[in-house]
């Protein structure tokens, strides 16, 4: 009987590579000479799509598992997004809309297909391996950028073969270390996502030892802080809120007090230390934290302008064409073909109309009732004042929220020690405590 059971596919290499390379746009195999950036994930996309189609064609539907009601709703909203994007092209001016729509469909299909391979194989180890490698890739690129800063290379556009080494300066002598992503704001959600998979996801995370958890969280936090992205850091803490809260609750009282005191002294030293003035960084920090002098004011002006442009007569229903926002922002961002309204929701309303907006809101808000609610909140928070709909990371997150169960498939075995000590370690990450032995006894009865 056991020999007739269906053996699940593994897809180890594809899953590991797909997760680790989900946002590595500093590598462009066209070296910036093509109409788009041929990133490692885009190069991997044909293999992911082929593996998905072959698996569908060569297996029975019952072997792949039934799609849940939540999954069917997610697929419906994804279809509405594609329909709204394609329909909007008929009502917009000529531009890059068609090419960007095609790229969006490819990114969406590849991201959803990658998550489908994860769902079919239940290969959580490959997911964790991909998250570890992803963090390592971002750390290596941070080190690469530090070398360029020390050598005073990359102040303008700089390429080392297929690697984009262009730096992100902030002021005269300060630089933002963005890891494997060229945009410091988009880099942090990727770092947070890798950290989330290792520490906080209800299925992929493991009950690491306390100091291992501190180490993983510290690596993610330091790399996020090096981007100097305000919105990114907010998103990082939102996505990891549950994991951080669990760590704090598990700390011994003395250790909790020690961390609190050290954190307070660090904040005071950072805020009042003369080293900030000596480095000339005071104006930079004030700029990043100021609502009037920083970029927050320009963001609000963009949001207001996008809303006003979206509510002009029939464009509220049809939009101005997907990917065409830059045509209406040349007075603010001259010669910039990637300009947008710095909010996924406002940009989707402007470009695809109210139907596209409703579909995106449903995709991001729908999973708030699941155990992955903190990941969903992070996606919403980031896209309120930025947007990453053209990144595969966005679609991998959306697919994970809608198509992969958020309930552990089986309880981990009790490996001894005090009664249910292991269960107490795992329960905060997985949600409600799992009554392992009582559940098994009930099932047998």
């Amino acid at each position: 009987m056991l020999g007739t059971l269906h053996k699940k596919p593994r897809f180890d290499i594809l899953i590991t590579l797909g997760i680790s390379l989900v946002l590595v746009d500093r590598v462009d195999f066209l070296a910036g000479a093509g109409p788009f950036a041929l990133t490692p994930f885009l190069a991997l996309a044909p293999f992911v799509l082929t593996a998905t189609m072959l698996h569908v064609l060569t297996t029975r539907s019952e072997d792949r598992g039934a799609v849940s009601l939540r999954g069917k709703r997610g697929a419906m909203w994804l279809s509405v997004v594609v329909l709204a994007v394609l329909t909007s092209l008929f009502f917009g001016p000529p531009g890059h809309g068609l090419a960007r729509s095609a790229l969006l469909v490819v990114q969406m299909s590849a991201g959803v297909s990658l998550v489908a391979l994860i769902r079919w194989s239940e290969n959580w180890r490959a997911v964790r391996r991909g998250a570890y490698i992803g963090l390592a890739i971002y750390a290596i690129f941070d080190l690469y950028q530090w070398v360029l800063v020390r050598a005073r290379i990359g102040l303008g556009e700089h390429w080392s073969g297929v690697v984009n080494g262009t730096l992100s300066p902030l002021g005269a002598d300060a630089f933002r270390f963005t890891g494997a992503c060229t945009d410091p704001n988009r880099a942090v959600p990727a770092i947070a996502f890798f950290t989330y998979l290792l520490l906080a996801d209800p299925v992929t995370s493991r009950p690491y030892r306390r100091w291992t958890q501190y180490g993983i969280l510290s690596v993610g936090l330091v790399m996020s802080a090096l981007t100097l992205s305000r919105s990114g850091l907010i998103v990082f803490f939102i996505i990891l809120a549950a994991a951080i809260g669990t760590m704090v609750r598990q700390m011994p009282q003395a250790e909790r007090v020690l961390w609190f005191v050290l954190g307070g002294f660090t904040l005071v030293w950072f805020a009042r230390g003369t080293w900030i003035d000596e480095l000339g960084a005071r104006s930079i920090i004030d700029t990043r934290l100021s609502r009037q002098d920083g970029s927050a004011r320009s963001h609000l002006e963009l949001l207001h302008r996008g809303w006003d442009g979206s509510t002009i007569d029939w464009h509220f229903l049809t939009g101005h064409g997907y990917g065409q926002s830059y045509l209406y922002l040349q007075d603010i961002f001259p010669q910039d073909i990637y300009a947008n309204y710095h909010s996924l929701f406002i940009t989707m309303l402007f470009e695809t109309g109210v139907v596209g907006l409703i579909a995106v809101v449903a995709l991001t808000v729908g999973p708030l009732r699941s155990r992955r609610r903190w990941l969903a909140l992070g996606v919403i928070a980031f896209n309120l004042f930025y947007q990453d709909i053209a990144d595969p990371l966005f679609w991998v997150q959306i697919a994970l929220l809608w198509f992969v169960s958020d309930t552990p498939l089986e309880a981990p075995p009790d490996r001894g020690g005090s009664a249910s000590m292991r269960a107490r370690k795992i329960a905060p990450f997985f949600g409600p405590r799992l009554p392992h032995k009582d559940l098994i006894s009930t099932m047998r009865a």
Side-chain angles (χ1 to χ4, degrees):
M1 291 290 293
L2 293 177
T4 62
L5 293 177
H6 175 68
K7 185 177 180 180
K8 293 185 180 296
R10 299 293 297 173
F11 305 117
D12 289 74
I13 297 177
L14 284 178
I15 292 175
T16 300
L17 288 178
I19 293 295
S20 61
L21 301 175
V22 70
L23 192 59
V24 183
D25 60 9
R26 277 196 177 273
V27 177
D28 178 6
F29 294 115
L30 301 178
F36 60 92
L38 183 56
T39 63
F41 188 88
L42 268 181
L44 185 68
F47 299 97
V48 174
L49 294 171
T50 301
T52 303
M53 289 187 291
L54 288 177
H55 185 72
V56 170
L57 294 174
T58 57
T59 58
R60 298 176 300 176
S61 58
E62 54 266 27
D63 292 334
R64 297 193 299 272
V67 180
S68 65
L69 178 60
R70 184 175 65 182
K72 293 178 181 178
R73 289 174 178 170
M76 178 193 71
W77 288 119
L78 287 175
S79 302
V80 174
V81 169
V82 174
L83 181 62
V85 165
L86 297 179
T87 303
S88 69
L89 298 178
F90 294 98
F91 300 94
H96 298 288
L98 182 60
R100 292 180 178 178
S101 299
L103 184 61
L104 174 72
V105 172
V106 172
Q107 301 277 38
M108 179 193 296
S109 302
V112 173
S113 296
L114 176 65
V115 174
L117 298 182
I118 296 173
R119 175 180 174 272
W120 292 330
S121 64
E122 297 172 4
N123 192 349
W124 317 122
R125 179 176 297 180
V127 175
R128 289 192 295 270
R129 189 184 304 122
Y132 277 123
I133 296 175
L135 286 176
I137 290 174
Y138 268 70
I140 291 171
F141 272 96
D142 275 343
L143 179 61
Y144 168 68
Q145 292 167 69
W146 179 80
V147 171
L148 294 180
V149 169
R150 298 292 294 178
R152 308 301 294 179
I153 300 174
L155 300 180
E157 186 174 359
H158 174 74
W159 286 84
S160 301
V162 298
V163 178
N164 186 353
T166 306
L167 299 174
S168 297
L170 187 64
D173 298 311
F175 295 88
R176 309 171 75 174
F177 294 89
T178 64
C181 183
T182 55
D183 187 332
N185 295 306
R186 288 167 44 238
V188 182
I191 298 171
F193 181 61
F194 297 142
T195 311
Y196 172 85
L197 291 177
L198 295 173
L199 295 181
D201 188 79
V203 177
T204 65
S205 62
R206 291 182 58 194
Y208 296 100
R209 295 180 182 274
R210 190 166 73 249
W211 289 102
T212 303
Q213 296 175 8
Y214 295 166
I216 295 173
L217 182 64
S218 298
V219 169
L221 180 58
V222 169
M223 288 196 295
S224 299
L226 288 175
T227 65
L228 297 179
S229 170
R230 296 165 300 182
S231 58
L233 282 172
I234 293 173
V235 169
F236 182 90
F237 283 111
I238 290 176
I239 293 179
L240 276 302
I244 294 173
T246 298
M247 292 180 193
V248 173
R249 289 196 301 270
Q250 290 176 347
M251 284 181 186
Q253 185 67 27
E255 184 178 324
R256 194 181 306 173
V257 172
L258 176 63
W259 281 111
F260 179 79
V261 172
L262 287 177
F265 275 117
T266 301
L267 288 176
V268 172
W269 175 75
F270 182 84
R272 300 179 62 87
T274 58
W275 63 275
I276 298 179
D277 297 313
E278 292 173 358
L279 291 176
R282 176 71 65 183
S283 61
I284 296 173
I285 295 174
D286 292 341
T287 297
R288 300 307 296 164
L289 298 179
S290 170
R291 186 175 181 270
Q292 287 76 26
D293 299 327
S295 59
R297 184 175 180 181
S298 60
H299 281 186
L300 294 177
E301 291 174 354
L302 280 174
L303 295 180
H304 187 268
R305 180 168 175 171
W307 173 260
D308 289 342
S310 302
T311 54
I312 297 176
D313 51 60
W314 49 270
H315 285 294
F316 182 74
L317 298 175
T318 63
H320 294 76
Y322 176 76
Q324 306 289 61
S325 292
Y326 74 99
L327 295 174
Y328 300 87
L329 293 171
Q330 288 302 296
D331 57 322
I332 301 178
F333 304 106
Q335 306 301 317
D336 187 352
I337 63 173
Y338 299 104
N340 56 66
Y341 292 98
H342 282 217
S343 170
L344 171 63
F345 305 105
I346 293 296
T347 301
M348 286 298 290
L349 176 62
F350 183 88
E351 295 182 349
T352 64
V354 67
V355 176
L357 173 64
I358 291 174
V360 169
V361 169
L363 283 174
T364 53
V365 173
L368 287 178
R369 298 181 62 184
S370 70
R371 292 188 177 186
R372 294 191 175 97
R373 63 180 67 89
W374 292 106
L375 178 61
L377 276 173
V379 173
I380 294 171
F382 180 75
N383 284 284
L384 279 175
F385 297 101
Y386 215 74
Q387 64 185 64
D388 59 352
I389 191 173
D391 292 332
L393 173 64
F394 177 82
W395 298 112
V396 169
Q397 291 174 326
I398 291 297
L400 183 68
L401 290 168
W402 283 94
F403 302 125
V404 178
S405 172
D406 57 5
T407 304
L409 299 179
E410 60 181 8
D414 191 348
R415 301 185 184 278
S418 59
S420 301
M421 179 181 69
R422 186 175 174 84
R424 286 200 299 273
K425 287 180 64 179
I426 299 172
F429 293 107
F430 287 168
R433 187 170 298 173
L434 301 175
H436 306 302
K437 296 181 180 179
D438 295 341
L439 178 61
I440 295 174
S441 302
T442 304
M443 292 174 63
R444 288 178 178 174

